[in-house]
Amino acid sequence: MTERQTSGQGGGGEERPVTVMVVDDHPMWRDAVARDLSEAGFAVVATAGDGPQAVRRAKAANPDVLVLDLNLPGLPGVEVCKQLVGGEPGPPGPRVLVLSASGEHADVLEAVKSGATGYLLKSASTEDLLDAVRRTAAGEPVFTPGLAGLVLGEYRRLATDPAPAAPDRPVAPRLTEREKEVLRLVAKGLSYKQIAERLVISHRTVQNHVQNTLGKLQLHNRVELVRYAIERGLDSET
């Protein structure tokens, strides 16, 4: 099995490499990460060494995944993330996997709130990085062990805060029973593969249900979907 994934954007079910951009201000580290990704079958379409350069090149190259360091000259990584996935009009931005030396809780939470799909420490192995990029491309949240619980805990804290009044908020759309079932398992932190095995359906079918649910709820990524589910107590349902 190769490291190529179906993009879902080409005709005839063609497969193409996942496209990746690497942003880090240390040239040797940046080149090493790019080389590892290329050797594993990913298409590294751009690299950058500072924040403004990262924004410009990411908009031009439109990668599937942006592997992003937080400590960048010119513009911090979280600001790069906000500019690229902040919901501005136009085509959707890349999915962002933060690759940082910092494991500080504040940095992790700030990155996720800025739109990052995942957060991996630079101490991770090459195999962990490759797996994280694959999963990020598929829309799955990926965190260094120990950080996932932190993020879920923050979502639960936010979910208990009183929400501002929103009288014009539309009625929640109706989800199918299968979509609700998938959403419930997403809220429990299961991966797409685990959900597929639990429900005896294909990995692709799980992805389709998640994408349909995101569209109905007008959410942007699985991280937001987890928060939505937790706010409604789905993670505690049996």
Side-chain angles (χ1 to χ4, degrees), residues 19 45 57-64 91-94:
T19 57
V45 294
R57 292 186 178 179
K59 289 181 176 180
N62 193 28
D64 298 319

Side-chain angles (χ1 to χ4, degrees), residues 8-62:
Q9 298 174 349
E14 295 179 355
E15 291 189 353
R16 67 164 175 80
V18 170
T19 57
V20 186
M21 177 175 172
V22 181
V23 180
D24 197 290
D25 63 331
H26 291 88
M28 290 182 64
W29 177 268
R30 183 174 66 243
D31 292 347
V33 171
R35 182 176 62 251
D36 288 340
L37 291 169
S38 295
E39 290 176 352
F42 297 100
V44 178
V45 294
T47 62
D50 61 53
Q53 185 183 67
V55 173
R56 290 194 306 271
R57 292 186 178 179
K59 289 181 176 180
N62 193 28

Side-chain angles (χ1 to χ4, degrees), residues 109-193:
L109 295 176
E110 188 176 13
V112 172
K113 290 175 182 177
S114 72
T117 302
Y119 196 106
L120 199 66
L121 294 181
K122 286 186 174 180
S123 57
S125 67
T126 300
E127 291 74 17
D128 287 340
L129 172 62
L130 299 179
D131 181 62
V133 173
R134 284 187 215 104
R135 293 171 59 193
T136 299
E140 296 190 41
V142 184
F143 296 95
T144 290
L147 298 183
L150 165 71
V151 175
L152 286 172
E154 177 69 2
Y155 285 151
R156 290 189 173 93
R157 185 191 69 77
L158 291 172
T160 61
D161 290 343
D168 298 328
R169 185 174 181 179
V171 176
R174 184 180 297 276
L175 301 178
T176 67
E177 288 304 313
R178 180 62 92 184
E179 287 168 347
K180 291 178 183 176
E181 198 170 15
V182 171
L183 179 56
R184 189 174 299 115
L185 295 176
V186 167
K188 291 178 180 292
L190 274 67
S191 69
Y192 288 175
K193 180 179 179 181

